[in-house]
Amino acid sequence: MSDTNPKEASLITAAANAAVMDGVLDFSDRQSFEDAGRGFIATIDPITITRESDGKTTYDLEAVKFLEGEAPATANPSLWRMAQLNGLNHGLFEVVPGIYQVRSFDIANMTLIKGETGWIVIDPLTSSESSAAALALANRELGERPVKAIIITHSHADHFAGTLGVVDPADVASGKIPLVTPVGFTQESLSENVLAGPVMQRRATYMYGNLLKPDPKAFLTTGLGAALSMGTTGFVPPNDEICETGETRVLDGIEIEFQMTPGTEAPAEMVFYFPQFKALCMSEITSHHMHNVYTPRGAQVRDALAWSAQINESIDLFGDRLEVEFASHHWPIWGRERAVDYLKKQRDLYKYVHDQSLRLANLGYNKEEVAEQLELPASLAKEFYNRDYYGALAANAKAVYVKYLGHFDGNPANLFPHPPTAAGARYVKFMGGADNVIAQARQSFDEGDYRWVAEVLNHVIMADETNSEAKLLAADALEQLGYQAESGPWRNFYLCGALELRHGVPEGRPLQVSEGMAAGMPLENLFQAMAVRLNGPKADGKTFAFNFEFTDTKESYELTLENCVLNYFPGRSNPSPTATLKLATLDFKLLMLQVRDAATLMGEGKLEIEGEALAFAELAGFFDKFNPRWPIVTPRPAWS
C-alpha cells in the first residue's frame, strides 16, 4: 500500500537517469559554468530577500545549496546541471565594462547599462523587493547612480512587475524618466495577467514549483531561472513605445537600435543592439534552453516559424557587429563566432520543431502521435542550450499542431468527448471497476509504465475522488515521472500533482490585484476584466445602464448589462441611466477588484451614487469570485 511520503527513485527511474549521462550530451563540457561565473563582482549573503513592511521572505536561494553535490537518482542529471547553473550563480556580474547584470535575484535577470549620468535599467524583475535589492547591490558595488531610463523587453510579468522597486511612477508619468516598451505592451501584459489571470496563476503554482520545498526529491529549478520571486507587484504604463524595426533611441547618452519581434515568445516583444558596446540583448527570444511554444501555465500558442524568422533577422541585422550576446535570462555568450553559432542553432531549433511537426501532421498523424515520434537531430540535441529545461519538445510539437489545426484531430470520436468526471465513471465501469483498474495499474507501475499508470488512474480518481488507494498510487507514478523529467516545469507539475493527491488542495489566499498593479491598469482593461467575471446565467433577464464619471480625469464611461453581457462605451453617457457613479479612477479600480467596498468609499466621501444604488449592488452580486486554489488532479466542483 502506498503512503503519503515522498519515495526514492525506483530502479527503473534510477536506470533512466543514469542513461542520460551516456546519451548525446557531453557532461565534461564546462563552458556554461565558465560563462555563468564570468564577470562575477558580488552577491548578498545570505541570498534571501524580504519585504520591509512585514518581514516576509519573498525570495530565498539558501535552501538550494544541496545543488553543489552530484545529481541523485531522484533528478535527471541534465536538469540538475541546469539547476546548478541557475541556483548557484547569483549576484552582480559584469558583461562588458558598462553593462552589468544581477542574476538569480528572481526568475529573470535585471540588466543595468551605465549611462552618462545614471543607470538604464532593463527588465526590473517580478517584484519590487527583488528589483530594489538588485539595484541596491549595483549601487553598493559600482557607486550610487540614479535610474535615468527603463527598458522593458516584453509583456511578461517577470520583466515588468517589479518596476516600482526602481522608479517613482510619477517620474514616468511626467516624462522625467523614459520607460520604453514594444508597441502593444500595455494591452498584452494586462490581457494575459488580468483576463486569464486566475487560471494562469493557479497553474503557475504547479509550473514554477511554488508549492514544493527545495529538495533533491522536490523543487530544483524552474529551468528559466533559479526561482520566482513572490513579492510585491505593480504596473507602470510606458511613456515611449518602439513601433518599428530600425528605430533608435539615445538614453542617457547611450545609443540603442531596436528590432521588433512580436508574436514570438511574447505577443509584444523587442530585441536591441548597443553599438557602443557591440552588445546584443536578445530579450527572451533566445535563452539557454528550448523555450515554450506553448507554456503549461497557459497562454496563447506562440508562432514557432515567426520565432525562428526573428532570430534569423537578428543575425542579419547584428551578427557581423556583435561581440557579446546577453538576454533576460541565464548568462551571456562572448565572442562573435560563438554567439552567432548559438543564434543559428536556436533559430534552427524552432524551425525544425515547426517544419517537422507540420510534416507529420500532413502525413495524417494527430498531435499526440506527432509529439511521440518527433526527435531533434543530433546536431541540435547535443547542445545544452537546446534542451527541454523550460520548454519541452513534445509539448511544442503539439503546440505547432494546435496553432494551425486546433485541438480537434479530425476523428469524430474526439469531436465532443465527455468531460473528465463523466468519462472517468464510464471508463472505470467498462474496465471492470476501480479495484481491477488499480490492480492492473500496480503491475504497470512495477513495469515502469508510469505514464500509463497516471493516465488510467486519473479516470478512477475523476470517477471517485475519495478513492485514496488510486490517488496514492497515481501520486507515486507522477513522482517517478518528475524524477525523470529534463524539463523543470514538467518536474514541478508532476511533483505538485503528487503532492496534491497525497495531501489535498493547498490553502490559498483570495486572488487580489495589488494596488500598485491596479493604479497602472488602463480603465478599458478593467472593464474587460469585469466582463470576464460576470456570471452570465445569474444575470439572465437583467438590464442595467450605469454612467461612470471619474472625478480626477473628467472621463466618462457607460456600462451596460444586456443579454447577459457587459459592454462598456468610453466617452458616452446614457441619458436615462439606472444609476450614475462619481469617483476617482483608482477608487473605481480598487472597488471593482474587490480591494475596497462601496460602503467604505461612500463613508469616506469618495463615492457618490445618483439613482438606483441598490441596482449597482445587485450588479456586484453577479460577479464570480475566483477560487485561487481549485483542484487540478481531482474533480472540479460540480456545475448546475
Side-chain angles (χ1 to χ4, degrees):
M1 175 67 69
S2 298
D3 61 46
T4 59
N5 295 312
K7 309 301 186 301
E8 296 296 335
S10 69
L11 293 176
I12 292 170
T13 291
N17 283 338
V20 173
M21 299 295 295
D22 299 322
V24 68
L25 295 171
D26 179 8
F27 282 87
S28 68
D29 181 357
R30 303 292 292 177
Q31 184 65 58
S32 294
F33 289 90
E34 293 176 17
D35 290 342
R38 177 171 171 172
F40 175 73
I41 297 172
T43 190
I44 57 175
D45 186 17
I47 178 64
T48 302
I49 300 171
T50 58
R51 185 159 48 216
E52 188 173 329
S53 61
D54 58 8
K56 179 182 176 182
T57 297
T58 58
Y59 187 79
D60 185 11
L61 288 188
E62 287 296 301
V64 301
K65 289 184 175 179
F66 62 81
L67 290 168
E68 294 172 355
E70 295 296 318
T74 55
N76 183 303
S78 180
L79 179 62
W80 183 270
R81 176 186 181 278
M82 187 60 160
Q84 290 178 319
L85 288 161
N86 280 330
L88 301 179
N89 293 281
H90 48 77
L92 177 66
F93 297 80
E94 181 184 74
V95 179
V96 295
I99 299 181
Y100 305 89
Q101 289 189 311
V102 180
R103 302 187 203 128
S104 293
F105 273 39
D106 200 339
I107 196 172
N109 300 331
M110 190 169 95
T111 303
L112 299 109
I113 311 298
K114 184 179 286 188
E116 291 181 352
T117 63
W119 293 120
I120 302 167
V121 175
I122 302 174
D123 287 353
L125 307 180
T126 311
S127 77
S128 298
E129 290 79 12
S130 281
S131 62
L135 182 60
L137 175 62
N139 282 333
R140 185 189 82 188
E141 297 297 324
L142 302 171
E144 189 85 20
R145 298 172 67 85
V147 172
K148 288 294 186 177
I150 297 172
I151 301 174
I152 297 176
T153 58
H154 63 290
S155 53
H156 291 154
D158 53 321
H159 302 268
F160 69 79
T163 303
L164 295 175
V166 299
V167 71
D168 183 337
D171 288 338
V172 176
S174 69
K176 177 182 177 182
I177 294 181
L179 197 163
V180 185
T181 70
V183 66
F185 165 79
T186 297
Q187 176 63 34
E188 295 298 344
S189 60
L190 292 176
S191 67
E192 178 166 303
N193 292 284
V194 176
L195 293 185
V199 62
M200 284 187 182
Q201 289 179 43
R202 174 64 176 118
R203 287 166 59 159
T205 62
Y206 269 46
M207 180 168 175
Y208 297 110
N210 300 350
L211 307 175
L212 303 172
K213 293 181 179 180
D215 189 90
K217 294 180 182 176
F219 178 80
L220 300 180
T221 183
T222 71
L224 184 63
L228 182 66
S229 172
M230 302 302 290
T232 306
T233 59
F235 181 81
V236 180
N239 55 23
D240 187 5
E241 289 189 333
I242 305 298
C243 300
E244 295 181 0
T245 294
E247 287 190 45
T248 62
R249 295 289 188 275
V250 177
L251 301 176
D252 197 27
I254 304 298
E255 183 184 0
I256 309 168
E257 302 176 20
F258 291 90
Q259 174 196 347
M260 302 305 297
T261 59
T264 52
E265 189 271 336
E269 190 154 2
M270 61 188 182
V271 305
F272 37 93
Y273 176 74
F274 296 89
Q276 176 179 335
F277 303 105
K278 297 183 179 180
L280 174 62
C281 175
M282 284 299 290
S283 180
E284 205 169 320
I285 304 299
T286 62
S287 45
H288 288 269
H289 57 226
M290 178 189 297
H291 214 302
N292 290 298
V293 179
Y294 167 75
T295 176
R297 66 176 167 82
Q300 298 176 42
V301 172
R302 297 156 183 174
D303 189 334
L305 184 60
W307 200 325
S308 174
Q310 296 291 8
I311 298 173
N312 193 63
E313 184 176 33
S314 297
I315 297 170
D316 288 343
L317 289 173
F318 312 116
D320 61 349
R321 293 188 284 159
L322 67 86
E323 294 295 341
V324 62
E325 181 275 343
F326 67 94
S328 300
H329 296 274
H330 305 138
W331 50 92
I333 294 180
W334 288 267
R336 183 178 307 171
E337 185 176 344
R338 281 186 62 214
V340 171
D341 183 64
Y342 159 76
L343 292 173
K344 286 180 177 179
K345 287 181 178 176
Q346 286 259 293
R347 173 198 67 190
D348 293 345
L349 170 68
Y350 298 109
K351 186 74 159 53
Y352 185 88
V353 172
H354 173 273
D355 294 352
Q356 297 305 308
S357 295
L358 282 183
R359 178 182 67 85
L360 293 168
N362 281 316
L363 288 171
Y365 296 110
N366 68 17
K367 62 183 185 298
E368 288 76 23
E369 292 164 334
V370 170
E372 195 72 21
Q373 59 184 301
L374 187 65
E375 294 183 358
L376 293 179
S379 59
L380 295 177
K382 70 179 182 180
E383 302 292 355
F384 285 105
Y385 54 68
N386 281 344
R387 304 300 296 187
D388 283 10
Y389 304 128
Y390 189 57
L393 181 61
N396 287 347
K398 292 180 183 179
V400 172
Y401 185 102
V402 170
K403 175 78 174 177
Y404 286 88
L405 300 168
H407 67 88
F408 177 51
D409 63 1
N411 185 336
N414 299 323
L415 190 60
F416 192 43
H418 287 289
T421 52
R426 288 165 170 81
Y427 272 106
V428 171
K429 180 180 178 181
F430 268 57
M431 291 188 288
D435 290 344
N436 184 53
V437 177
I438 294 170
Q440 294 190 63
R442 287 196 181 283
Q443 181 176 344
S444 295
F445 185 94
D446 292 340
E447 295 167 353
D449 194 355
Y450 306 125
R451 287 171 61 187
W452 174 244
V453 173
E455 181 178 342
V456 74
L457 289 180
N458 183 63
H459 292 307
V460 177
I461 295 163
M462 289 298 167
D464 178 13
E465 64 179 311
T466 68
N467 192 317
S468 59
E469 189 176 4
K471 288 162 68 174
L472 293 176
L473 181 56
D476 289 351
L478 291 176
E479 187 171 62
Q480 297 301 318
L481 290 169
Y483 291 165
Q484 294 182 31
E486 188 178 38
S487 164
W490 281 38
R491 178 186 174 94
N492 293 337
F493 261 91
Y494 285 134
L495 297 184
C496 284
L499 183 70
E500 191 169 316
L501 286 170
R502 288 167 174 163
H503 300 288
V505 178
E507 293 185 4
R509 294 179 298 173
L511 289 172
Q512 185 168 303
V513 176
S514 69
E515 189 164 333
M517 189 70 78
M521 184 185 303
L523 282 172
E524 296 206 5
N525 290 91
L526 183 64
F527 281 114
Q528 292 169 358
M530 289 170 60
V532 171
R533 286 179 49 223
L534 181 76
N535 186 316
K538 282 186 179 180
D540 194 17
K542 298 292 182 179
T543 302
F544 295 130
F546 296 99
N547 288 337
F548 291 91
E549 298 179 4
F550 296 111
T551 55
D552 54 334
T553 63
K554 309 306 178 185
E555 294 176 286
S556 60
Y557 278 78
E558 180 185 0
L559 180 71
T560 65
L561 171 62
E562 190 176 16
N563 301 317
C564 305
V565 172
L566 277 182
N567 282 300
Y568 66 96
F569 306 95
R572 197 168 98 178
S573 295
N574 191 295
S576 302
T578 307
T580 297
L581 288 79
K582 299 179 181 180
L583 72 171
T585 52
L586 179 58
D587 290 327
F588 171 67
K589 294 172 186 177
L590 297 176
L591 174 64
M592 300 317 300
L593 292 168
Q594 299 176 313
V595 178
R596 306 292 300 278
D597 61 82
T600 299
L601 290 176
M602 293 177 72
E604 295 174 350
K606 296 180 177 179
L607 170 62
E608 179 183 341
I609 302 180
E610 298 174 356
E612 301 179 33
L614 292 179
F616 184 72
E618 186 178 6
L619 174 68
F622 298 151
F623 293 119
D624 278 344
K625 293 183 178 180
F626 296 127
N627 182 349
R629 294 286 172 88
W630 39 267
I632 290 181
V633 290
T634 55
R636 268 65 68 189
W639 61 89
S640 57

